[in-house]
Amino acid sequence: MDEPFYIEVSCQQRNFGNERICGDVFLSRRVSEEQRLIAVLSDGMGHGVKANVLATLTATLAVNFTLEHKDVHDLAEIIMNTLPVCSERDMNYSTFSILDIEYSGETHILEYGNPQSIIMRGTEVFEPEWQCILLNSKKNAGKELRYCSFRPGKEDRIIVCSDGIVQSGTGFTKYPAGWGEGNLKSFVIEMLDANPALSARKLSAKIVNRAFLNDNFGAKDDSSCVTFYFREPRKLLICTGPPFEDENDSTLAERLRQFQGKKIVCGATTADIIAREMKVSIRDSYIVEDPGLPPVSYMDGVELVTEGILTLSKVFNILNSYNSNFKLGKGPADLIVKLLQESDEIHFLIGTRI
């Protein structure tokens, strides 16, 4: 990359049938001191606990070996020699896709058994030069792995899937031989044409949900999709509390005005200072979405204006108890949490006057 961008990563999964544990495993590790991201998607043979254990073993080994900067041929041999092999089928118990992403340099992809990764350059498919790595060791002689390296740019995406995605629909009238990689690519292009700024989380979710639809809402295999999205970071500023010295009011307002990203102002006094210094008006709302908090207000140049300590205390409580089953409402604290979830960098500008 010409300059380091934020890398949004999202893995969405759906379990086979009524299994409570997914047989696909995704692991990732950001190595901050090396400005590097290592990620692995592994698909264990079968379903449920056994498949999950095998996939976890594979993904853990792959992450740890990749961390050591080994040559890709050596890495392939080491991982394949370490993985257990099914004696009846003479095949490894799990497949994998390994991504080694340098924040300001090359991205390396090594794959065995999983569908080939899709690389999107904007809304078009980008085809790097894939190499075939043929193993020579006695245990794995003749087995083939795929490898490519390329330099990502802004708005690039990498989509990595398990075979539950491309094999979805098998046996049904529309896709008797499975959805296939070609249809998957066409679907990704369609989604990005409709929304070029589609987040990694939403794109992965759309792909997994489409595979579920292909299977007539009864997943025939564990289905996983991981999307890597190279983009500018989404920034958020939360400004609360007036400055200790009155003469710093203009500095507070100017720092908020110059911030490149979304902005929230919490506290009536803080909002009055910023509105005065920026010469804008505050527009009050009288719709009470949360009986425990005053309604939100608005001003030009700011996404949201709320009350201070009560609202921020509730934000804290929501974040402490938040999980995947939590349903956010439309109250002031809920709106702040939504903006926090959508942001990559969160900045706080805090005045110290009591």
Side-chain angles (χ1 to χ4, degrees):
M1 292 176 280
D2 294 330
E3 58 179 291
F5 296 113
Y6 180 78
I7 306 172
E8 180 189 358
V9 183
S10 178
C11 176
Q12 302 293 319
Q13 297 180 312
R14 188 177 291 276
N15 300 354
F16 162 75
N18 295 319
E19 290 283 358
R20 298 181 63 183
I21 296 178
C22 188
D24 300 341
V25 170
F26 175 70
L27 295 180
S28 67
R29 185 179 300 179
R30 292 183 185 265
V31 189
S32 56
E33 61 271 19
E34 297 183 15
Q35 292 291 285
R36 187 173 170 219
L37 169 65
I38 297 171
V40 179
L41 175 64
S42 179
D43 181 356
M45 182 184 293
H47 313 290
V49 175
K50 178 181 177 181
N52 181 272
V53 170
L54 293 167
T56 300
L57 170 65
T58 302
T60 303
L61 289 172
V63 168
N64 290 336
F65 287 139
T66 304
L67 276 170
E68 299 176 5
H69 295 278
K70 294 186 180 297
D71 174 80
V72 65
H73 293 82
D74 294 337
L75 178 63
E77 290 280 5
I78 291 171
I79 293 176
M80 295 296 288
N81 285 333
T82 306
L83 296 181
V85 176
C86 176
S87 57
E88 294 180 5
R89 304 183 190 180
D90 190 29
M91 60 186 294
N92 292 84
Y93 275 112
S94 51
T95 61
F96 58 82
S97 299
I98 305 171
L99 287 89
D100 185 359
I101 303 172
E102 302 168 10
Y103 290 175
S104 57
E106 294 286 312
T107 287
H108 309 271
I109 305 177
L110 178 65
E111 299 177 336
Y112 172 71
N114 281 344
Q116 183 171 297
S117 298
I118 299 172
I119 302 166
M120 300 298 298
R121 185 135 289 173
T123 57
E124 297 181 356
V125 176
F126 170 69
E127 296 288 357
E129 185 177 342
W130 288 90
Q131 302 175 28
C132 174
I133 297 178
L134 192 63
L135 301 184
N136 298 316
S137 62
K138 182 178 180 180
K139 180 180 178 181
N140 294 290
K143 291 184 179 178
E144 297 180 359
L145 289 83
R146 287 187 303 269
Y147 170 76
C148 77
S149 66
F150 68 101
R151 183 175 289 268
K154 183 181 176 183
E155 296 303 313
D156 280 7
R157 291 176 175 85
I158 305 172
I159 296 100
V160 183
C161 298
S162 64
D163 59 10
I165 298 293
V166 296
Q167 293 177 8
S168 64
T170 300
F172 291 100
T173 303
K174 190 170 184 179
Y175 304 111
W179 195 29
E181 295 182 25
N183 286 319
L184 172 59
K185 287 181 181 179
S186 298
F187 181 78
V188 170
I189 293 170
E190 179 185 344
M191 293 299 101
L192 296 181
D193 279 339
N195 183 4
L198 191 64
S199 70
R201 180 179 61 84
K202 289 183 178 179
L203 180 56
S204 290
K206 285 179 180 292
I207 291 171
V208 170
N209 289 337
R210 176 54 191 267
F212 190 51
L213 173 63
N214 294 340
D215 281 330
N216 198 26
F217 305 103
K220 301 298 186 294
D221 194 3
D222 298 300
S223 301
S224 301
C225 177
V226 186
T227 299
F228 302 79
Y229 183 13
F230 299 81
R231 56 168 173 75
E232 293 288 353
R234 295 171 182 151
K235 299 180 181 180
L236 174 68
L237 173 68
I238 297 179
C239 178
T240 182
F244 187 80
E245 305 287 350
D246 291 343
E247 55 265 32
N248 289 327
D249 287 357
S250 59
T251 303
L252 175 76
E254 184 62 16
R255 290 182 65 178
L256 181 135
R257 188 187 67 80
Q258 291 184 356
F259 182 79
Q260 299 297 311
K262 294 184 178 180
K263 305 160 192 176
I264 301 173
V265 176
C266 298
T269 303
T270 308
D272 288 338
I273 291 171
I274 290 172
R276 183 191 71 227
E277 295 294 329
M278 293 176 59
K279 297 180 173 55
V280 297
S281 59
I282 298 175
R283 302 183 299 279
D284 294 321
S285 168
Y286 299 100
I287 301 174
V288 178
E289 298 287 358
D290 185 338
L293 297 174
V296 300
S297 301
Y298 302 93
M299 73 168 73
D300 291 342
V302 175
E303 271 63 36
L304 191 63
V305 179
T306 74
E307 180 274 339
I309 187 64
L310 295 176
T311 304
L312 289 175
S313 294
K314 184 158 187 181
V315 169
F316 177 80
N317 291 333
I318 291 174
L319 293 173
N320 260 347
S321 58
Y322 190 87
N323 58 45
S324 58
N325 297 318
F326 197 102
K327 301 298 182 184
L328 292 170
K330 297 181 180 179
D334 301 78
L335 295 177
I336 292 176
V337 171
K338 286 180 182 178
L339 287 169
L340 289 170
Q341 290 179 324
E342 295 170 358
S343 303
D344 309 312
E345 293 182 11
I346 301 166
H347 301 251
F348 292 88
L349 185 56
I350 301 175
T352 56
R353 189 196 310 171
I354 303 300

